[in-house]
Amino acid sequence: MKTDNRDQRQGEIIAVRGNVIDVRFPQPLPPRNQQLLTGHDNRVVLEVQTHMDVHSVRCIAMNSSRRLSRGMAVVDTGGRMQMPVGEALLGRMLNVFGEAIDGKGAIDAQQHWPIHRPLLPLADRTTGDEIFETGIKAIDLLAPLERGGKSGMFGGAGVGKTVIINELINNMAKRYQGVSLFCGIGERMREAEEMYRDMQDSGVLDKAVLIYGQMNEPPGARFRVGHAALTVAEYFRDVVKRDVLLLIDNVFRFVQSGTEVSGLMGRIPSRVGYQPTLATELAELEERICSSKSGSITSIQAVYVPADDMTDPSATHIFAHLSASIVLSRKRASQGLYPAIDPLQTDSKMLTPTTVGQQHYQVAQTVRSTLAEYEDLKDIISMLGMEELSSEDRKIVSKARRLERFLTQPFFTTEQFTGKQGKLVPLKETIDGCERILAGEFAEVNERELYMIGSIDEAGAEKQEDVSQQDDTERNETAETGNERD
């Protein structure tokens, strides 16, 4: 909460309605998004949201508004909320005010930037066609991520969004040369603590920054933590000239906090109860995520979908800003197919022959069409059984079921729960495995052997290992039987 004490003007509180504070000021009134301070020792931070009349402004409190009352003095700081920036932030966990919340003492930052900053001019932006490989088979094959682009993971509660985000951090932070920046918007304190500990254990914390506006904080703090994180990302991109990997969990909580703020401000709600300014607020955040000649910001965002309804206004507005959309399916999660990525709804603008190559494009399209045909045949199978299908359809079902299982993968971040060692699979091996399944090479292999493996070669290796174990068991049993007879 860095402020400039010069030319500070004073006003007074005229109304307190929860987190909404009305303040009277002498003219000229402070502009929108200006930072004001009030309360004991000026610890309560207010942000101007609207001008009510020529004498008063309506503000939203960024922290607890307890013990505020009418008549209290309010100080105009003369500027906007600021965030410390610099390499001193690496390895630290901060809140929306730039204060350390990791118990390691204050952050010694030399510079502070305002959290509301102008967009990078179009002339200074750059675009590319480089693929950002993740090591997760289903994502790399069906929805390749763009380096310097925005990707979203859509899904309802409990389908694995946060698990995939954690796995991406684990897979990429070790071999990623840039800065990893995690922004938690309205997430649980338990998840924040777990992520901090995991990053510490894996040795990637020293080149990462974690910024949180947690679930228990007022809507104003949750509404602005995304802007604070982007300010830090822009510093590393423009000044330090490094690539930034920005992970956001969860963008829907940003929309939700905007809805709360809008309701507190007394604005008339729009469709499905969302704020009338939904599209504008989302664009102000998303359009700051871009690449310049000095560095790139690659963003991967988790998006909660209310009631699994992909037509919800929050989901449709977020879709428009993304280059890749990864949709998680509750049905696949219930079948134990993890990661529960829906191959038919998942898509990427990078999946073109000119960008990923003819082989990758062709394999991805064939995999998708095979799984789509299997989806169409499911009704016939459930009513009449597999026996009524033609031999050609049976082959399609066989390939589709093996593809579904091959696209599952054990994660490093879930080893303690599954007992399976995590796998990181190069894109080349993923394409090769899918090609061999589509060619019918594994038609005689039990589909269970393709479940939760890394590369396709592990299926044969596991089979040979199982056979040798079975032979050893049979030999032991024979020997024991012979000893009993003797």
Side-chain angles (χ1 to χ4, degrees):
M1 277 186 287
K2 189 172 177 66
T3 60
D4 187 354
N5 293 319
R6 294 173 297 172
D7 302 325
Q8 290 185 337
R9 300 187 307 122
Q10 285 207 346
E12 67 169 358
I13 295 175
I14 54 175
V16 179
R17 300 182 187 86
N19 287 309
V20 175
I21 316 295
D22 293 344
V23 184
R24 180 184 290 118
F25 265 102
Q27 289 190 336
L29 295 177
R32 282 192 72 241
N33 297 328
Q34 188 98 315
Q35 182 186 19
L36 314 178
L37 300 176
T38 187
H40 181 63
D41 292 334
N42 286 342
R43 295 299 298 169
V44 180
V45 180
L46 310 178
E47 187 179 81
V48 177
Q49 290 290 315
T50 184
H51 289 189
M52 296 172 63
D53 52 45
V54 293
H55 301 295
S56 56
V57 294
R58 180 162 285 175
C59 311
I60 191 81
M62 294 289 141
N63 43 8
S64 176
S65 58
R66 289 180 64 192
R67 297 189 176 88
L68 292 188
S69 61
R70 286 186 294 178
M72 273 190 172
V74 179
V75 176
D76 179 3
T77 62
R80 298 179 171 187
M81 282 180 65
Q82 295 195 334
M83 192 72 182
V85 292
E87 305 217 11
L89 273 63
L90 292 172
R92 303 301 301 272
M93 185 189 284
L94 301 82
N95 63 13
V96 69
F97 306 114
E99 299 167 339
I101 54 174
D102 54 8
K104 292 183 179 176
I107 293 168
D108 183 24
Q110 302 301 315
Q111 285 183 274
H112 288 74
W113 282 13
I115 67 169
H116 299 281
R117 304 187 69 247
L119 298 178
L120 192 71
L122 280 173
D124 297 337
R125 298 189 182 206
T126 58
T127 56
D129 56 3
E130 190 180 345
I131 297 299
F132 200 82
E133 201 173 314
T134 66
I136 298 174
K137 291 185 283 190
I139 293 176
D140 289 342
L141 178 73
L142 300 170
L145 308 186
E146 176 190 2
R147 183 179 288 275
K150 288 170 277 194
S151 310
M153 280 182 293
F154 294 80
V159 293
K161 297 183 297 298
T162 302
V163 171
I164 295 177
I165 285 275
N166 289 349
E167 186 70 6
L168 288 168
I169 290 173
N170 182 81
N171 289 4
M172 291 189 280
K174 292 175 184 173
R175 56 199 176 112
Y176 187 67
Q177 299 306 308
V179 175
S180 297
L181 177 60
F182 182 85
C183 174
I185 306 177
E187 288 304 291
R188 302 167 186 85
M189 287 185 281
R190 168 183 60 78
E191 293 174 344
E193 192 271 333
E194 283 175 2
M195 178 165 290
Y196 182 83
R197 192 172 61 241
D198 289 343
M199 292 180 84
Q200 204 169 29
D201 293 343
S202 59
V204 299
L205 187 62
D206 59 341
K207 52 179 184 178
V209 183
L210 291 84
I211 302 173
Y212 278 92
Q214 294 170 3
M215 193 175 271
N216 63 316
E217 296 186 32
R222 287 180 272 125
F223 191 46
R224 291 303 182 210
V225 69
H227 298 272
L230 274 167
T231 299
V232 176
E234 286 167 347
Y235 175 86
F236 281 108
R237 180 194 67 192
D238 299 336
V239 178
V240 186
K241 301 188 186 305
R242 293 176 72 181
D243 291 338
V244 180
L245 174 62
L246 174 64
L247 299 130
I248 304 176
D249 190 8
N250 182 310
V251 179
F252 174 78
R253 303 294 177 202
F254 168 77
V255 173
Q256 195 175 45
S257 59
T259 305
E260 291 179 53
V261 169
S262 180
L264 291 167
M265 290 291 116
R267 298 180 190 135
I268 298 170
S270 182
R271 186 179 158 217
V272 198
Y274 286 105
Q275 64 270 42
T277 52
L278 169 62
T280 307
E281 289 168 0
L282 199 56
E284 283 175 355
L285 183 78
E286 294 282 2
E287 292 307 304
R288 283 176 66 179
I289 304 171
C290 58
S291 300
S292 67
K293 291 165 189 171
S294 57
S296 66
I297 300 178
T298 304
S299 174
I300 300 170
Q301 310 168 11
V303 184
Y304 167 73
V305 180
D308 294 336
D309 179 14
M310 299 303 291
T311 63
D312 189 86
S314 63
T316 54
H317 278 92
I318 295 166
F319 263 124
H321 294 280
L322 305 175
S323 58
S325 304
I326 300 157
V327 179
L328 302 179
S329 160
R330 190 172 301 282
K331 185 179 176 184
R332 291 178 71 81
S334 66
Q335 293 170 341
L337 300 171
Y338 291 104
I341 293 169
D342 187 330
L344 303 182
Q345 292 192 70
T346 295
D347 196 20
S348 170
K349 292 174 184 172
M350 302 299 285
L351 193 59
T352 60
T354 52
T355 305
V356 299
Q358 189 65 42
Q359 185 194 16
H360 181 173
Y361 174 76
Q362 201 63 49
V363 170
Q365 293 301 98
T366 311
V367 166
R368 194 170 276 150
S369 65
T370 304
L371 293 170
E373 286 183 61
Y374 174 45
E375 198 65 34
D376 292 339
L377 291 169
K378 278 183 179 177
D379 288 339
I380 299 172
I381 295 168
S382 62
M383 288 187 291
L384 304 174
M386 284 282 287
E387 295 76 18
E388 296 301 315
L389 297 180
S390 66
S391 60
E392 196 60 40
D393 285 344
R394 284 185 203 176
K395 285 179 185 175
I396 288 169
V397 171
S398 170
K399 289 175 186 176
R401 289 181 64 85
R402 282 159 177 76
L403 284 168
E404 280 184 335
R405 279 143 188 80
F406 176 63
L407 291 176
T408 62
Q409 188 170 343
F411 282 176
F412 292 97
T413 50
T414 59
E415 283 179 4
Q416 56 184 325
F417 307 113
T418 62
K420 290 180 179 286
Q421 187 181 356
K423 308 278 183 180
L424 192 149
V425 186
L427 175 60
K428 190 174 182 304
E429 290 185 14
T430 302
I431 295 169
D432 177 57
C434 290
E435 254 187 335
R436 289 168 67 183
I437 292 171
L438 290 167
E441 190 177 323
F442 289 82
E444 301 303 318
V445 174
N446 193 316
E447 62 190 39
R448 283 180 297 179
E449 291 179 28
L450 297 168
Y451 179 68
M452 285 292 170
I453 62 171
S455 67
I456 196 73
D457 295 326
E458 291 178 30
E462 285 185 10
K463 186 178 181 183
Q464 287 169 5
E465 190 179 319
D466 291 343
V467 169
S468 63
Q469 285 176 355
Q470 191 175 352
D471 289 344
D472 291 341
T473 307
E474 286 174 359
R475 278 195 295 270
N476 292 336
E477 286 174 356
T478 305
E480 285 172 10
T481 307
N483 290 337
E484 285 172 6
R485 283 175 183 166
D486 293 341

